[in-house]
Structures are given as structure tokens and as C-alpha cells.
Amino acid sequence: MSDPAFHLRQTALGLERLAGLMRAQQWREPDAYALHPAQRALLELLGEDKRGWRVGELAQRLGVSAASASDTIAALQARELVRRERDPDDGRAVRVHPSRRGLAWLRRSRARGGLGERLLATLAPDELAGFSRSLQLLILQAQREGLATGLRTCAGCEFFRPFEGGGDAPHYCALVGAPFGDAQLRVDCAEYRPRAADARAGALDAVAARFRAGAADTEKTTRRGPAPPRTHSAAAE
């Protein structure tokens, strides 16, 4: 007889071990690429926005204290990978930017790819799609528990409508008014807008339920053949 608690423990252990392996691998990179995982995460974040980031914004997005973010910035600055500039909107504040050397580091690092990308590349397209959906649900639950607040996922966004369509583009983004597929699901989207606080819990429950139902329908469709596409419903908004 299967033991659900045992299954949960083993799966959680696998995730923890794999995450630890990927963090350790970052330290085994050549000297030009080796960075502490916290430094790598912060530099990757800096590379997303040309306007730069304030220390408090970085801390919030990374889920760390302002003091910890400041220490990480100082370590990156010592390696000449970041620079600080006065905020043009507030002369009392400072924004952090990647330096030319930092941008070059990001280009080389992304071109090489990380261990996570190499491992995920071994999955078949349908396996990777299922993993992407599961990842959205895991992050969604972490956000409901007050964790991962800095991640701007599709599942937590007010514009996201999961499984509103059919075929290879079952999801719908109300911001751009276009359908998209599992391959376009984002863990961090610049256009992300969190759902209103008064409707958040119920809305997140609805998103999770629809995600699971849609995934089940996708598995049935794969076995039985394509089903007619569903039209976008305003009621889902």
C-alpha cells in the first residue's frame, strides 16, 4: 500500500537535494563565473531592469533583509560587477546597476547555461510543460503562506486566466489580450500585477483549481485527441 506521507517526504527531499546540488555547482564554475548563490541571484535581478534598483526593492524581491542585500551588493561592488548611482527621482536615494563587467558576466553566464537548464533540457516537451505548471502551483502556495513574495508569477497575477483556451495555447493574458502556452509561463514577469488583497485568497484558490482541472483535461486530450477550444470568458476575470 502506498504511503502518501512517505511520498511527500521523499519528493521534498529530492527537491532540497537538487537545489543544494545546483547551489554547490555554482561555486565549481571557473573563477570568472563563480559567485555565491545570493550574489548570482542579485546580479541576475539587476540585469532585468535598466532603471536600476533601490536596496529595499532588491531585498523585497529576493526575500531577504535590507542589511543582507546591502552586504551582497558590497561584495559584488568589490568585484566591480555592480555600481551605485543617485536615484534621478530622489537625490537622497541610491539605485544599484550592473557595471559593464557585470553585464558581460551575465551575457557569458547565460550563454553557457546553468546546471538547472541542462537538467531540464533532458525532459520531453510534455514533461517540461507539466513541471512548469507544477512549479507555478508550488510558488502560488508559497506566496499564500507569505513566502516567495518577490516572485512575479503568472499564477499570482490578476491578468492570468489558466486554461481558458485549447490546443497549444490554453492560457490567456488579459493584459495583452492573447492566449499562450505552458512554454510561456513565467516565474518572473515585469508586467505582473498582484490580485487585490480583498479577493486574493479566493482568487488564488480558483486559479489553483482551474490549473489542476485544466492539466487533467490536457492529459485526457493527449490520450483521446484534440478537444474543441474554449472561448475566453469575462466571468473568469
Side-chain angles (χ1 to χ4, degrees):
M1 180 180 294
S2 63
D3 182 348
F6 174 81
H7 191 184
L8 282 174
R9 285 196 301 271
Q10 289 298 303
T11 304
L13 180 62
L15 284 173
E16 292 169 4
R17 295 281 173 83
L18 193 58
L21 176 65
M22 289 190 288
R23 286 194 296 269
Q25 181 63 29
Q26 292 174 354
W27 280 108
R28 300 190 185 104
E29 298 285 356
D31 288 346
Y33 299 95
L35 286 178
H36 185 279
Q39 296 171 11
R40 179 184 292 265
L42 193 146
L43 187 55
E44 289 279 0
L45 188 56
L46 287 175
E48 295 177 8
D49 196 327
K50 295 180 179 179
R51 298 172 300 177
W53 297 77
R54 293 185 180 182
V55 175
E57 294 172 337
L58 289 167
Q60 181 182 18
R61 288 289 306 282
L62 295 171
V64 300
S65 68
S68 178
S70 294
D71 289 344
T72 303
I73 292 167
L76 289 170
Q77 195 167 15
R79 295 186 61 171
E80 300 181 349
L81 293 171
V82 303
R83 56 186 173 81
R84 300 173 189 252
E85 289 186 357
R86 287 291 177 186
D87 190 331
D89 299 324
D90 183 353
R92 298 169 299 177
V94 172
R95 285 189 177 272
V96 184
H97 302 260
S99 65
R100 289 185 178 179
R101 184 173 179 177
L103 290 172
W105 185 96
L106 286 170
R107 287 194 296 269
R108 291 194 301 268
S109 179
R110 291 169 180 172
R112 295 177 73 252
L115 175 60
E117 293 173 37
R118 296 198 296 272
L119 294 177
L120 289 171
T122 65
L123 298 179
D126 60 329
E127 294 171 331
L128 185 57
F131 186 84
S132 295
R133 293 192 298 267
S134 296
L135 186 61
Q136 291 279 327
L137 287 172
L138 290 172
I139 296 174
L140 190 65
Q141 182 58 36
Q143 290 172 330
R144 291 196 62 192
E145 295 184 13
L147 307 170
T149 54
L151 294 180
R152 304 177 294 183
T153 62
C154 286
C157 179
E158 72 170 42
F159 298 121
F160 181 57
R161 314 286 183 264
F163 291 99
E164 281 291 314
D168 295 330
H171 312 304
Y172 184 85
C173 176
L175 175 65
V176 299
F180 65 98
D182 290 323
Q184 286 76 48
L185 285 170
R186 297 187 180 186
V187 170
D188 195 48
C189 176
E191 284 75 37
Y192 169 87
R193 184 181 297 173
R195 297 178 186 275
D198 57 350
R200 185 171 175 80
L204 295 185
D205 283 341
V207 167
R210 184 172 292 172
F211 231 62
R212 292 187 172 98
D217 288 345
T218 298
E219 292 178 2
K220 293 178 182 177
T221 298
T222 301
R223 292 194 297 266
R224 299 177 183 176
R230 287 168 285 179
T231 58
H232 173 62
S233 170
E237 302 182 16

